[in-house]
Amino acid sequence: MHYTLTFVHEGYGRATSFGNLFGDTYIDTPSPYGNTTRRANATFVILARNSDLEGTVQSIREIEERFNRHFQYPYVVLNEQEFTANFKERISVLTRAKVEFGLIPHDDWFQPEWINEDKAAAARTQMVNENIIYGGIVSYRNMCRFNSGFFFKHQLLLPYKWYWRIEPDVHFHCDIPYDPFVFMEDTNKVYGFTITMYEFEKTIPTLWRHVLDFIKAHPEYIAQGNSMGFLSGNSGKTYNLCHFWSNFEIADMDFWRAPAYQAFFDYLDRQGGFYYERWGDAPVHSIAAGLFAKKEQIHFFNEIGYEHQPYTHCPRDEAVWRRGKCSCDRTQSFDYDGYSCLRKWT
C-alpha cells in the first residue's frame, strides 16, 4: 500500500534547478490558531500494510513530536488486510490520542469485476516495457482508486469532516505550533498541500479528455474563480500535468462527499482509466479541487516542512524556518526545482 517514489523513469527525473524561481512573497499561516482548547472535527488518515510498521512508527513519532502531542487529534489506520496484534500495539503506544485500525472493504480496494482484465493486462505489459514506474502493479492502481473515491466513505472516517493524510516513511521537519484544521475551517479552505509537481503524461493519456467531457456535461459544478489557470496554460484545451502531491493532504472530506466530486469520480471510474492506464489520486484530486473549488479555498502550507522521498518542501523564509526549528535545508527545497509546479500556483 505504501510505495516510496523513486522516479526511476527519466520523465520523473529531477529537472534543472534554479534558485531564484520565486520572489520573497511567502506569507506563513496566521497565528490565532495556536494551542487553544478548540478542536476541529478531524483525524489523521494512514494507509499502511503490516510490513510498513517501522515506517509508520517513524511517521507518527515525527508528527507527534512536531504537532500532535499538543493537539491530540485521533488516527485512523487502514489496510486491505487485518492488522496484526503487534502492529496495533506498536502504533498505539506512540500517542495519547485515539487510534483506530480499520479493514478496507473488498469492493473498495480490489479491481472491479467489470474491468476487462485482458485489456488491463495488456496496458500493464506495455507500461512495463516502457519502464513506467508502477506500470505493472495492480495493487498500486487499487490504492489510487481507493484514495480517489472511497477512503472518505470508510465507516471509521464517516464521523469526521477533516483529514490529514500521512504515509509511512515521511518526515515532518518543522514545529507546527498552530492548528491547521482550525485554520482551514475558519478561512473556508477545502484543500491544503505542500508539494506540487508535474505528472508523468504516459500514466494519464486520456484523463484530460474525460475531464473535458465531464465539464461539458456538468457545467453547473464548475466554481467561479477556480484554478484552471494552474491546471492549463490555454484555458483548458490541454492539461499541463501540474498536480498537488497527494501523499500530503489536509482537506475537507465533505468536499469529496459532495455531489460534484461524487459525480466526477463515478464518471472517471466508469472509464476504467485507473486500470487501463495508471491514473493516480493526485491528478484526480488536484483537478477536482482546481475546478470545483475557488482558488482561494486551496492553501499552500509553506511553513510545514515535509519530506516524502525523494522530495522535500522546506520553508524558504528564514524567519519561518527558524521559528519552526526546521531540520531541513531551505536551499534544497523542491520548490526551486524545475519539476515543481509551485511557480504556476503562486
Side-chain angles (χ1 to χ4, degrees), residues 251-267:
D252 182 354
M253 284 186 282
D254 287 344
F255 182 76
W256 307 133
R257 295 165 179 151
Y261 185 76
Q262 285 294 286
F264 181 67
F265 171 76
D266 289 345
Y267 175 79

Side-chain angles (χ1 to χ4, degrees), residues 281-299:
D281 54 281
V284 171
H285 276 188
S286 301
I287 291 169
L291 296 178
F292 307 146
K294 297 178 180 179
K295 184 175 182 182
E296 65 194 39
Q297 292 181 288
I298 301 174
H299 184 69

Side-chain angles (χ1 to χ4, degrees), residues 11-44:
Y12 273 102
R14 203 171 180 88
T16 302
S17 298
F18 42 99
N20 296 316
L21 194 56
F22 316 109
D24 294 322
T25 57
Y26 287 150
I27 300 174
D28 59 319
T29 304
S31 60
Y33 306 99
N35 188 17
T36 66
T37 57
R38 178 185 165 195
R39 296 293 181 266
N41 180 19
T43 183
F44 294 102

Side-chain angles (χ1 to χ4, degrees), residues 28 315-326 330:
D28 59 319
R316 179 184 186 183
D317 182 84
E318 183 176 0
V320 175
W321 181 76
R322 289 186 178 278
R323 185 164 61 247
K325 301 177 182 177
C326 299
R330 58 196 180 95

